[in-house]
Amino acid sequence: MITEIKHWIDNKFEGGKERFTIRRPADGEDFVHAHIADKALVARAVSSARRAYPAWRDLTLKQRCEFVEKMADWLADHYGDEGEATELKSTIMEEVGKPLPEADIEVIETSDFLRFFANNAVEALSATEPKLDQELWPTKRSIVERVPLGVVAIIKPWNYPLEMIGWSLGGALVAGNTCVIKPSEKSPKTASFFARMCSDIGLPPGVISIVYGDAATGQALASHPDVNMVSFTGSYRAGKYVAKACADRLAKASLELSGNDAAIVLADADLDLTARGLVWGAFCNAGQVCVGVKRALVVESVYDELLKRVIALTASLREEVDYGPIISKDQLNSVIAFVEDALQKGAKAELGAEVGSKGNFYSPTVLTNVSPNSKLLADECFGPILPLVKVEGVAEAVRLANDSDYGLGASIWTSDNSKGLEIAKKLEVGMVWINDVNVAFPQTPWSGTKASGIGFELSAAALQEYSRLKHVNIETGSDKDRDWWYPYGS
Ligand code: NAD
């Protein structure tokens, strides 16, 4: 059955003039018809958010946190049990092709992370009173508040279709902003669960609106004059357009963009652990993870042994159980082009490099002898490809890891944590995992540097990201004059 997805504005479903069709990546069957928001509809959603803003801002922080806590509870209810394919998890699985354990993680993490924002906002957002120099300013008192920005546009990708939206909503809402969500055109059905959530928890109209569509809808939203901030997650290519649209009116843009993460494997690494970590890091979500392992830089003394283990583990992965399909035919063709370019330049496919028998499946692929000139090492390949590159030692690994336009994450595999920490200091990235990869904690910042973005998700840093500082100064004395006022020289 094909589901029809309509926009959510003022707590009501609303159709647009046109619709687009989503095909299930696993079998190519039509799955969803979603309405498209044109400029006029985007403007209606923004003005609904603008109308709702003063009342939402003027709730107490505790009241806003209670709503966000209800959102976390709602998701926990729709999580069911681990391994239970509830309606929400089945939608994620069908729409973006995730295996059930990955849908499990996505739903429970989104709930947990929303709860983190609800439980930690008071500490992160409370006003402070900096102590002024008492000799100079004995009668002055200053209060520094964290105030919301206004209307926040949340434009997100499909690869974590629930979680990426949830991360931004948590911080933006508790800080006092109202939000217009523009989910990916590849995952509207998962995003539509937020509309059901709003209705079920009694969120006031306009606090969250959802508009569907592609880049044109996103661009209309990012460039709308009444949008005060854009929280964008997606490709570097699209992120630049969002940044330009915001720059035109000096609106804030938080950009979580593409990556080309290296895994550095040292001679003292536990090779069993490392092989399992690299294989999961490269192939979970069919390799369509911003912080997935995109390049393994392996010290030569352990290269052959690690390669053997990586090949054996990769060969054991099962289609539809351990890995799903690529999101779309276009994305599949892009992955094929990356691999063909590498093979033409001398790479060897140790395993994989094959299109599946149906849908957009592509087999997990291990490549060796990849030329430094291949696109695969230079740019982000969003698919299940793991190139293993032999390096002489740590210095070469660090040099190659940093030799990238991107700077999102990296992992280091070693049995000596202090050595790992020393290497972490040298990496030009926003996040480093030692003996793990692709783990998010609500308490710690998620961010990239260089072409991987500007700004933060998660942690107190994200709560502050969705607010601004406002200083209020009070004169507490009763003097009728100030020494520095006119007239001068008397
Ligand atoms: P994408 O850039 O194609 O699309 C992301 C969102 O932006 C979608 O909603 C899309 O409709 C919208 N969009 C596209 N062009 C736009 C424009 N010109 N103006 C406004 N909006 C526009 O990315 P995608 O294919 O959905 O997702 C994959 C990318 O996201 C990868 O590069 C991945 O690394 C990145 N990503 C990054 C993180 C992170 O935390 N850094 C997390 C997840 C995904």
Side-chain angles (χ1 to χ4, degrees):
M1 200 184 74
I2 297 181
T3 316
E4 187 177 358
I5 306 287
K6 291 185 175 174
H7 312 293
W8 175 253
I9 300 172
D10 267 336
N11 279 10
K12 287 195 272 300
F13 290 106
E14 198 171 320
K17 286 188 194 125
E18 288 180 79
R19 300 186 312 179
F20 61 99
T21 302
I22 307 290
R23 298 214 165 89
R24 254 194 313 252
D27 59 14
E29 294 294 321
D30 286 1
F31 171 58
V32 163
H33 288 154
H35 287 247
I36 299 175
D38 58 11
K39 268 190 173 173
L41 213 132
V42 165
R44 278 229 299 292
V46 173
S47 64
S48 163
R50 175 65 52 203
R51 277 196 306 280
Y53 173 62
W56 181 251
R57 176 198 59 201
D58 293 344
L59 291 181
T60 62
L61 183 51
K62 192 164 165 283
Q63 285 170 318
R64 292 196 300 268
C65 288
E66 279 165 9
F67 273 111
V68 173
E69 179 102 44
K70 281 187 196 164
M71 292 166 72
D73 291 342
W74 190 95
L75 283 173
D77 287 346
H78 286 72
Y79 173 75
D81 287 322
E82 186 181 343
E84 179 190 352
T86 58
E87 189 193 353
L88 175 55
K89 287 187 236 172
S90 302
T91 300
I92 295 173
M93 291 161 70
E94 272 192 281
E95 188 162 61
V96 300
K98 289 195 188 210
L100 180 55
E102 294 177 16
D104 262 334
I105 293 177
E106 171 133 16
V107 176
I108 201 63
E109 269 194 3
T110 311
S111 170
D112 286 351
F113 288 21
L114 283 167
R115 205 176 303 286
F116 165 82
F117 286 118
N119 291 339
N120 291 275
V122 171
E123 194 185 334
L125 296 174
S126 290
T128 58
E129 287 202 26
K131 203 165 159 34
L132 305 178
D133 184 325
Q134 288 304 291
E135 267 183 41
L136 276 175
W137 308 111
T139 57
K140 295 281 185 204
R141 185 181 153 217
S142 274
I143 301 168
V144 179
E145 298 176 308
R146 283 256 158 213
V147 296
L149 297 163
V151 175
V152 174
I154 296 180
I155 303 177
K156 296 287 147 171
W158 53 269
N159 65 331
Y160 288 87
L162 191 78
E163 192 161 358
M164 293 295 97
I165 294 173
W167 283 11
S168 303
L169 273 181
L173 290 178
V174 293
N177 306 282
T178 52
C179 300
V180 180
I181 302 168
K182 207 298 281 174
S184 167
E185 60 275 31
K186 298 187 176 100
S187 54
K189 188 170 175 185
T190 305
S192 73
F193 277 79
F194 282 105
R196 278 167 57 175
M197 175 199 284
C198 293
S199 172
D200 289 353
I201 69 166
L203 200 68
V207 174
I208 292 180
S209 302
I210 311 175
V211 291
Y212 302 95
D214 60 11
T217 305
Q219 196 62 25
L221 186 56
S223 50
H224 194 288
D226 274 346
V227 167
N228 303 94
M229 172 183 177
V230 181
S231 166
F232 178 84
T233 305
S235 62
Y236 167 67
R237 178 186 41 78
K240 273 195 304 184
Y241 286 109
V242 169
K244 282 180 191 160
C246 290
D248 263 355
R249 62 182 191 288
L250 296 186
K252 184 170 181 177
S254 170
L255 307 167
E256 301 291 337
L257 308 179
S258 314
N260 191 8
D261 289 13
I264 296 179
V265 183
L266 304 192
D268 66 358
D270 173 332
L271 293 189
D272 261 338
L273 175 92
T274 306
R276 287 172 45 225
L278 295 192
V279 168
W280 181 77
F283 302 129
C284 78
N285 205 8
Q288 304 165 110
V289 179
C290 55
V291 290
V293 175
K294 307 284 175 21
R295 309 172 280 155
L297 310 173
V298 186
V299 166
E300 57 191 350
S301 58
V302 291
Y303 183 89
D304 290 342
E305 185 52 37
L306 182 70
L307 176 62
K308 215 165 35 176
R309 295 180 196 210
V310 164
I311 291 172
L313 279 172
T314 306
S316 72
L317 298 181
R318 298 152 298 171
E319 186 176 292
E320 288 188 276
V321 178
D322 299 310
Y323 67 92
I326 305 277
I327 187 71
S328 64
K329 278 275 177 272
D330 282 353
Q331 189 56 34
L332 174 63
N333 288 336
S334 155
V335 171
I336 292 170
F338 269 102
V339 173
E340 278 177 359
D341 173 74
L343 294 176
Q344 271 163 19
K345 290 175 179 153
K348 180 178 174 208
E350 302 283 350
L351 199 72
E354 283 165 11
V355 175
S357 57
K358 58 171 184 163
N360 308 328
F361 282 95
Y362 192 82
S363 55
T365 299
V366 179
L367 296 180
T368 54
N369 200 35
V370 180
S371 159
N373 300 323
S374 59
K375 277 196 323 173
L376 189 61
L377 296 183
D379 210 343
E380 180 188 61
C381 171
F382 223 48
I385 315 300
L386 175 58
L388 264 78
V389 177
K390 196 185 285 186
V391 294
E392 276 177 12
V394 173
E396 189 187 2
V398 169
R399 181 180 63 74
L400 289 177
N402 287 338
D403 184 19
S404 170
D405 291 338
Y406 299 111
L408 190 55
S411 59
I412 300 167
W413 302 83
T414 172
S415 51
D416 181 346
N417 279 341
S418 55
K419 210 188 286 174
L421 282 170
E422 278 309 305
I423 296 169
K425 281 186 199 155
K426 299 179 181 156
L427 296 176
E428 296 160 3
V429 294
M431 297 166 282
V432 181
W433 292 273
I434 298 174
N435 292 322
D436 213 330
V437 63
N438 181 18
V439 202
F441 310 96
Q443 297 81 1
T444 59
W446 184 275
S447 71
T449 184
K450 303 201 282 191
S452 292
I454 302 168
F456 297 97
E457 291 287 2
L458 305 182
S459 80
L463 282 163
Q464 294 173 355
E465 185 83 351
Y466 292 100
S467 58
R468 66 182 172 83
L469 291 173
K470 183 174 181 181
H471 171 210
V472 179
N473 183 265
I474 310 164
E475 172 58 54
T476 62
S478 52
D479 275 3
K480 299 283 178 229
D481 199 6
R482 307 283 180 267
D483 291 349
W484 56 95
W485 286 4
Y486 291 132
Y488 288 160
S490 57

